[in-house]
Amino acid sequence: MDRVESIKDILDKRELAIAEDDRRAVSKANKALNSTIKSNITKAQEALGEDNEYKEYFLNNSEHIKELLAVNKEVNTTEEAINLIHQVDFRYIFGLDVLIEKPFACEFINNELRVSLAFTTEEKANVEVEKEMEKYHGKETSILGYERFGMYVKELIVRGEPTEAWITYSLTRKKYLYVVGSKNKDNQHSIISFDIFDLYEIFMKCDINKAIQGLCELLGIRIKEFEEVRDRYERCKSFVRNNLTKDKFPILFELIGEHIHKLETILEEGIDKLYYHVESKEGMVFSASMQYLADIMGKGKSTINPIVNIFALLGLLRKPDVRSGIYGKGSNNDITYYYIPEYNNELFQKAEQLAMILLYNGERITASSFSYKNCIEKFGQEIANSIFKDKVTKARAS
DNA sequence: TTTTGGTCCCGCAGAAGGAG
DNA sequence: CTCCTTCTGCGGGACCAAAA
């Protein structure tokens, strides 16, 4: 089945599912459609490479584009921002000098020719595939091979001619689209359609969140829920810089003085991942795995682990309760979500007292030796469970 | 003594595979 | 095709040895 047919197939199935009100089938079709778009985005990214004319145009003309298209508006949610951005004619952003509905050559999605060949033996298959490849000399080909019914099946995918594309505005989907396919009268079809976010992902080689961020910045759209978080993180950063010192909080400094840069890195990571924040019961939270944090700090994850947990104990970051939260469904590990509260004297005073207990009340526990076990000893089961959350999961499972 | 990094373990969730 | 089981990769955390 080639690409055009498979897309048609999915669309037909979805239509049928909608008609029959079969929600499971609808979501299945949507999922298939999304993954098709995603794989096409990846393909297009590979075809265009890191530097391409669209990116260049965008970067060279961003000031001019801003003047021309800026919305300069504050919105409350990402949803609102997305809806606004969909109304922007992206031809001006990426320098697509074409008329609406008028076909032009698409540079980054090619037609594919699929040739299936079946053989009785592996050797024969290899020889014949060689021969077949000769026909497409000079063209990019890839081979899929598998065994079926005792036969050796080889499938050649030959990169064909460039496709046609055109720009359209979809009234039903309420957005501009870059449609790829063919506008030929007797063979009109579309392979895929990209919206402004997909295109941004392709040209700028990034994911959807960065695309939202980039376009918001370009168009002067401020998403209130994110900007508030950014401002708070910035205040936290300067609070740490100005107050987490030997003379203001001596014991706290003794405990985590060595790790201040790690705390700052987490705050910076929060700012960097601003558009990856999700709503939770506690407020806006973001996720970063131990491995990821360790990598950006140039350390091992088992080094970072106790430090992050000590920050959690001190109240410098919170691990929100995932079980009653609305997020995290289907995502990897909920334990890596962090909420960072406003830093102030009161919070640091409390942290100072906790540091006192850790260092000078009974067994001396330093930041890097902090663990579930000694957390229970010093602070009890309840607090330990709120920090080492997977322990709770494990306890429930047994 | 404290910090760091390697390695092991365990649970989870999605994928793959198999049965009906 | 659907449901159930098994497999696998990922990620957090523990422990221990080595480094600073």
Side-chain angles (χ1 to χ4, degrees):
Chain A
M1 182 150 49
D2 79 0
R3 205 144 56 161
V4 181
E5 283 171 47
S6 65
I7 286 287
K8 255 191 189 150
D9 193 49
I10 297 169
L11 288 173
D12 287 349
K13 272 185 189 155
R14 187 172 72 160
E15 211 167 301
L16 191 71
I18 291 169
E20 289 177 354
D21 203 27
D22 182 345
R23 274 183 213 169
R24 234 183 104 181
V26 174
S27 78
K28 206 172 161 185
N30 281 334
K31 219 171 150 185
L33 212 55
N34 276 337
S35 76
T36 317
I37 290 174
K38 223 175 159 193
S39 75
N40 276 294
I41 287 174
T42 314
K43 257 185 205 166
Q45 281 172 334
E46 279 163 14
L48 279 175
E50 191 71 49
D51 297 303
N52 55 72
E53 56 175 306
Y54 307 99
K55 183 176 177 180
E56 210 172 295
Y57 185 91
F58 176 87
L59 294 176
N60 289 342
N61 299 287
S62 65
E63 286 313 309
H64 174 66
I65 300 165
K66 264 181 200 168
E67 266 171 51
L68 194 67
L69 298 174
V71 181
N72 291 327
K73 201 174 169 185
E74 183 162 278
V75 296
N76 287 312
T77 63
T78 317
E79 206 90 324
E80 286 175 56
I82 288 173
N83 288 335
L84 275 178
I85 293 166
H86 274 152
Q87 301 314 308
V88 174
D89 187 340
F90 51 71
R91 287 178 295 170
Y92 298 107
I93 295 179
F94 303 118
L96 292 158
D97 192 13
V98 292
L99 293 170
I100 287 270
E101 299 295 342
K102 195 144 193 219
F104 54 92
C106 173
E107 280 183 74
F108 44 89
I109 296 286
N110 284 64
N111 277 311
E112 283 175 358
L113 179 66
R114 282 177 185 249
V115 188
S116 280
L117 306 157
F119 307 96
T120 45
T121 67
E122 182 99 56
E123 293 79 41
K124 230 184 220 173
N126 288 334
V127 174
E128 292 298 317
V129 166
E130 271 310 301
K131 257 192 219 164
E132 191 69 21
M133 292 273 279
E134 290 289 313
K135 285 195 209 164
Y136 307 105
H137 193 72
K139 287 184 182 169
E140 228 175 284
T141 49
S142 55
I143 306 160
L144 286 172
Y146 48 88
E147 253 186 87
R148 192 163 289 171
F149 310 120
M151 297 283 276
Y152 294 87
V153 181
K154 297 278 171 188
E155 198 168 64
L156 285 182
I157 301 169
V158 185
R159 212 173 122 178
E161 297 306 306
T163 45
E164 273 185 340
W166 60 96
I167 312 292
T168 191
Y169 181 81
S170 161
L171 282 168
T172 50
R173 294 163 77 185
K174 290 201 173 64
K175 56 182 172 182
Y176 283 90
L177 292 170
Y178 183 110
V179 186
V180 181
S182 166
K183 266 229 167 197
N184 196 306
K185 270 196 190 98
D186 38 272
N187 183 28
Q188 185 157 348
H189 64 262
S190 66
I191 293 171
I192 199 84
S193 59
F194 298 118
D195 67 19
I196 185 167
F197 295 102
D198 301 326
L199 291 175
Y200 192 95
E201 283 178 55
I202 291 169
F203 301 150
M204 310 302 282
K205 249 200 167 168
C206 64
D207 68 6
I208 179 69
N209 294 308
K210 279 281 167 204
I212 295 169
Q213 182 168 8
L215 287 165
C216 279
E217 278 166 12
L218 179 77
L219 300 169
I221 297 170
R222 287 170 54 88
I223 302 176
K224 218 172 157 188
E225 56 183 8
F226 288 150
E227 295 303 327
E228 283 169 359
V229 173
R230 186 209 299 271
D231 293 346
R232 188 174 72 238
Y233 290 172
E234 291 291 355
R235 286 196 300 274
C236 286
K237 264 172 74 180
S238 68
F239 190 89
V240 168
R241 217 176 305 124
N242 298 325
N243 297 282
L244 191 46
T245 55
K246 208 169 182 175
D247 39 300
K248 286 192 179 159
F249 297 98
I251 304 173
L252 185 62
F253 187 83
E254 189 186 344
L255 183 69
I256 57 168
E258 282 293 312
H259 307 293
I260 290 175
H261 67 281
K262 297 191 181 82
L263 182 60
E264 285 171 343
T265 307
I266 293 172
L267 285 165
E268 273 154 26
E269 182 59 22
I271 294 168
D272 198 48
K273 287 280 156 63
L274 195 63
Y275 282 70
Y276 294 77
H277 279 64
V278 290
E279 190 65 56
S280 88
K281 209 174 75 183
E282 290 260 6
M284 295 298 276
V285 296
F286 75 102
S287 171
S289 79
M290 283 296 142
Q291 188 66 71
Y292 181 78
L293 287 176
D295 284 349
I296 57 175
M297 293 177 198
K299 309 260 187 259
K301 63 172 174 155
S302 34
T303 305
I304 304 307
N305 185 4
I307 310 300
V308 168
N309 285 326
I310 208 119
F311 291 155
L313 174 82
L314 296 171
L316 303 182
L317 46 88
R318 292 185 208 146
K319 298 188 181 182
D321 190 2
V322 289
R323 253 150 242 291
S324 45
I326 49 159
Y327 60 90
K329 279 171 200 150
S331 75
N332 282 340
N333 213 330
D334 300 319
I335 200 172
T336 56
Y337 281 90
Y338 303 111
Y339 175 80
I340 302 176
E342 185 83 49
Y343 291 177
N344 52 40
N345 269 310
E346 198 189 338
L347 184 82
F348 273 48
Q349 210 55 60
K350 277 185 196 160
E352 175 81 358
Q353 279 160 25
L354 291 165
M356 169 75 98
I357 296 171
L358 280 160
L359 294 176
Y360 297 111
N361 193 342
E363 192 194 348
R364 179 181 172 86
I365 312 253
T366 55
S368 63
S369 63
F370 187 59
S371 73
Y372 182 55
K373 227 192 241 168
N374 57 39
C375 183
I376 293 174
E377 281 166 24
K378 291 252 172 176
F379 302 101
Q381 195 80 47
E382 202 179 317
I383 288 173
N385 284 355
S386 74
I387 297 165
F388 297 84
K389 281 183 171 290
D390 72 324
K391 292 287 178 189
V392 186
T393 319
K394 278 171 195 169
R396 278 186 201 177
S398 61

